[in-house]
Amino acid sequence: MSRLIHTEVPLSPREALPTMYELPSEEIGGSGMPDEYHALQAVLLSETFHPPQISPEEFFTAIDLNLYYDVAHPSWYKRPDWFAVVGVPRLYEGRELRLSYVIWQEGVVPLIVVELLSAGTEREDLGQRVRGADEPPTKWEVYEEILRVPYYVVFSREGGQLRVFRQRGGRYEEVVGHGGRFWVAELGMGLGLWEGRYKGQERLWLRWYEAEGEWIATPEERAEQERREKEAALLREQQQRQRAEQERQRAEQERREKEAALLREQQQRQRAEQERQRAEQEQQRAEQERQRAERLAELLRQLGHDPNQL
């Protein structure tokens, strides 16, 4: 008689480890939300992140969100200022806003991470801090060695310095000579430094640009552009109506002038006809006078008088 042997199937990290619902979404021990500049700069990156060949439903951007990265230490996380992931649903499992980004649940690492340098975070962001044996890895180590994020960007608002690092053989290699603009081929757009006004602040910002080199517009800029285009369209329509009215008035003037010319011509014909009739009447009267004179002369001759002697 055979015996049934029950074996346990090992669970995958996705099944065995905590989900985003079970992990803290706040920054433990942190100082809370970043300063206003960090928030605005990160929002500008998200507002201008529009890869032309990728559906908005197929990528995710995050601002100051917990990123859980290590299946061996599921409580460890980093909190990038901004990052983008391509190839995941915009919503978690296609239905909910994310509380955090959990690598073993999502299965896709960020394509690009942006850190905004400050005096308190620079050594951590650039991998210059020496950590203890029992401490979690630095952001640099997580992005470079554990997740191997393809592009890591750091931007210093104080000096306006943009540094771009790209994965090469499991290590970051700094991109030099980019001149403040760097093209990301996987996205079909680039990231660069822009001097301009955003949310009332005139300064140097980091934002995305398209293949033609034009900066990708923010919702406010698109609304302003649409308003200007609408005003321009209304102006063109008004000008077209004015031109149409001017054409109508010219046509009406031409019609009146033509009618006046026809009337003058008709009157001239009438006057000419009247002159002809008067001339004909004068001719008839003259003929009648001639005939009377001839009859009178004939009568005088019959009476024995010479008409020429009278």
Side-chain angles (χ1 to χ4, degrees):
M1 182 175 178
S2 63
R3 297 176 56 190
L4 294 176
I5 300 175
H6 297 279
T7 60
E8 293 186 358
V9 178
L11 297 177
S12 67
R14 180 181 176 87
E15 297 170 316
L17 295 176
T19 68
M20 76 169 188
Y21 301 105
E22 299 156 340
L23 292 166
S25 59
E26 72 280 1
E27 185 174 15
I28 301 173
S31 57
M33 294 298 291
D35 60 61
E36 187 178 16
Y37 161 75
H38 278 71
L40 289 179
Q41 174 60 89
V43 169
L44 178 58
L45 287 171
S46 288
E47 286 185 342
T48 58
F49 187 85
H50 295 287
Q53 304 301 324
I54 304 174
S55 166
E57 300 304 316
E58 296 176 352
F59 65 80
F60 170 68
T61 64
I63 298 172
D64 200 43
L65 191 75
N66 285 3
L67 170 61
Y68 289 91
Y69 58 88
D70 192 344
V71 294
H73 300 86
S75 64
W76 286 1
Y77 67 89
K78 295 301 176 185
R79 201 175 179 92
D81 289 321
W82 186 89
F83 66 92
V85 190
V86 175
V88 296
R90 166 65 188 86
L91 299 175
Y92 179 69
E93 295 186 339
R95 65 176 186 272
E96 290 191 58
L97 295 173
R98 287 176 173 83
L99 303 173
S100 55
Y101 193 84
V102 184
I103 287 295
W104 54 85
Q105 293 290 314
E106 305 282 359
V108 182
V109 303
L111 176 69
I112 183 168
V113 169
V114 176
E115 293 289 357
L116 306 172
L117 295 186
S118 63
T121 64
E122 183 173 358
R123 295 181 67 247
E124 166 79 11
D125 294 341
L126 293 176
Q128 298 170 349
R129 180 179 67 81
V130 179
R131 66 182 177 97
D134 57 344
E135 290 183 325
T138 64
K139 283 184 174 180
W140 179 279
E141 292 172 305
V142 170
Y143 304 153
E144 180 187 46
E145 301 173 17
I146 298 176
L147 295 181
R148 296 194 175 184
V149 175
Y151 299 98
Y152 180 40
V153 175
V154 292
F155 176 52
S156 171
R157 62 169 169 170
E158 285 78 12
Q161 184 183 21
L162 173 65
R163 300 181 69 183
V164 180
F165 300 90
R166 180 169 45 193
Q167 275 284 339
R168 284 288 186 272
R171 288 290 182 267
Y172 276 140
E173 174 186 279
E174 184 166 6
V175 178
V176 296
H178 54 68
R181 286 196 172 202
F182 176 73
W183 185 254
V184 182
E186 294 91 331
L187 297 173
M189 60 183 189
L191 189 63
L193 296 177
W194 168 68
E195 183 82 33
R197 179 173 291 273
Y198 177 68
K199 302 296 184 182
Q201 290 294 309
E202 186 81 25
R203 60 171 303 114
L204 192 64
W205 301 92
L206 191 61
R207 68 184 293 176
W208 294 93
Y209 63 90
E210 56 191 15
E212 293 75 14
E214 296 294 327
W215 299 109
I216 297 174
T218 66
E220 288 181 355
E221 290 169 340
R222 287 195 295 272
E224 176 64 16
Q225 181 64 26
E226 289 172 1
R227 183 189 66 80
R228 291 179 180 176
E229 290 175 354
K230 185 175 181 180
E231 287 182 351
L234 290 174
L235 178 60
R236 288 193 298 271
E237 183 179 349
Q238 182 181 4
Q239 292 172 339
Q240 289 174 352
R241 286 198 302 267
Q242 289 175 344
R243 286 194 294 268
E245 178 61 19
Q246 291 170 350
E247 290 296 327
R248 186 194 67 77
Q249 291 177 354
R250 279 197 293 270
E252 178 65 17
Q253 181 66 23
E254 290 174 359
R255 184 188 66 78
R256 290 177 180 176
E257 291 175 354
K258 185 175 181 180
E259 288 181 351
L262 290 173
L263 179 60
R264 287 193 299 271
E265 182 180 349
Q266 183 180 6
Q267 290 172 341
Q268 289 173 352
R269 285 198 302 269
Q270 288 175 347
R271 285 195 295 270
E273 178 63 20
Q274 290 171 351
E275 290 296 327
R276 186 192 66 76
Q277 290 176 356
R278 280 196 297 271
E280 186 176 323
Q281 290 172 353
E282 289 296 328
Q283 185 179 1
Q284 289 175 354
R285 283 194 296 271
E287 179 63 23
Q288 290 172 353
E289 289 296 327
R290 186 188 65 77
Q291 291 176 357
R292 278 197 301 272
E294 286 183 354
R295 286 195 300 271
L296 179 58
E298 181 63 27
L299 180 59
L300 290 173
R301 282 193 291 271
Q302 291 176 358
L303 293 174
H305 300 287
D306 184 356
N308 294 326
Q309 299 298 319
L310 298 177

